[in-house]
Amino acid sequence: MYKFIAFDFDGTLADSKEVFARAYNQVAEKHRFRKIDADNVEELRKLPIRQRFDFLKIPFYKIPFIAPQFLAAYRAMLPNVTLIHGIRELLESLTAEGYRLAIISSNSEPIIRDFLRTHGIDSIQDIYCSQNIFGKDRVIRKFMNHHGLKPSELLYVGDEQRDIVACHRNTVAVVWVSWGYDRKDSLGPEMPQALVDSPAELLQFLRK
């Protein structure tokens, strides 16, 4: 029985694709990285995250330096980030059914809290964020240790291949959602416990 359901933020709860691309392109122009545009966005969605950085010509060593610039640009555009259709109802249903809810994300906690406050969502009990885009497995482990959770007591819901990898490293069950950043054909051998196409379908999965 799951005690906690933890969600990714961008692409899973929040529809931030357009804002993400605009914020990234501001940084890309400054540093002369390859930009995201209508011609390459679908190609990027097929690639694992490390290959995306290669495609966009971003050296790995620069990521810690450009991340604050990206988050500042993203936060300035936060009013344009919307809630995924059906998520409000999903969170309300899960809370009513006794689940405890959290967010584990690579975004920043102040940005996420601003978004939740703006949209009147108060059912999220914990927000854990990773400053390292490749460090979500460690944050999941920290979250579990803080709450004294066994792997079987946590379900993670995310939209990227790296979410699945991070959960597998902690033997945590994971559900992948199709409405986010990664395409299904980018998952490779890293398969989740379930793949869902809508928040309503996620609720059905949990009720089985």
Side-chain angles (χ1 to χ4, degrees):
M1 176 67 181
Y2 303 124
K3 291 183 178 179
F4 260 101
I5 300 176
F7 292 87
D8 179 43
F9 179 68
D10 288 290
T12 302
L13 299 181
D15 186 355
S16 57
K17 292 190 192 74
E18 183 177 339
V19 164
F20 188 98
R22 287 167 56 195
Y24 164 76
N25 283 342
Q26 283 190 14
V27 176
E29 184 169 357
K30 178 179 179 180
H31 294 275
R32 298 183 180 179
F33 302 146
R34 187 174 185 178
K35 291 185 178 182
I36 299 173
D37 57 37
D39 293 331
N40 63 29
V41 65
E42 283 304 311
E43 179 64 25
L44 282 165
R45 291 186 67 211
K46 296 179 187 177
L47 299 175
I49 191 162
R50 289 183 181 274
Q51 291 182 32
R52 288 181 191 172
F53 284 115
D54 290 340
F55 183 90
L56 295 169
K57 304 185 185 305
I58 304 173
F60 286 136
Y61 75 88
K62 286 193 175 182
I63 294 172
F65 303 102
I66 65 173
Q69 299 170 36
F70 166 79
L71 289 172
Y74 182 112
R75 190 167 194 173
M77 302 177 196
L78 190 59
N80 296 312
V81 178
T82 59
L83 197 64
I84 296 287
H85 179 70
I87 287 295
R88 185 184 303 279
E89 294 78 8
L90 171 66
L91 298 179
E92 290 172 354
S93 295
L94 293 176
T95 300
E97 294 183 17
Y99 291 105
R100 299 168 71 183
L101 308 180
I103 291 174
I104 300 177
S105 170
S106 299
N107 206 315
S108 84
E109 184 174 344
I111 286 175
I112 294 172
R113 290 198 181 279
D114 281 353
F115 178 87
L116 296 178
R117 185 164 46 250
T118 296
H119 291 272
I121 295 173
D122 58 8
S123 55
I124 304 294
Q125 298 184 13
D126 287 283
I127 299 173
Y128 277 61
C129 294
S130 170
Q131 296 182 345
N132 181 348
I133 197 168
F134 302 110
K136 190 170 283 188
D137 59 317
R138 292 189 291 275
V139 180
I140 290 173
R141 192 153 50 248
K142 179 180 178 182
F143 174 82
M144 292 169 61
N145 289 339
H146 177 78
H147 288 284
L149 296 175
K150 301 174 183 176
S152 60
E153 294 174 325
L154 174 63
L155 175 72
Y156 190 83
V157 181
D159 65 315
E160 295 186 71
Q161 187 245 15
R162 67 190 176 103
D163 296 331
I164 301 172
V165 172
C167 289
H168 285 178
R169 288 175 178 171
N170 289 286
T171 61
V172 166
V174 55
V175 172
W176 177 84
V177 303
S178 65
W179 59 81
Y181 280 77
D182 283 6
R183 287 176 31 152
K184 184 178 179 181
D185 52 6
S186 74
L187 301 184
E190 303 291 348
M191 295 304 294
Q193 272 61 42
L195 299 92
V196 299
D197 295 319
S198 69
E201 191 175 333
L202 174 59
L203 187 59
Q204 290 173 2
F205 167 79
L206 287 164
R207 285 174 172 171
K208 287 182 180 177

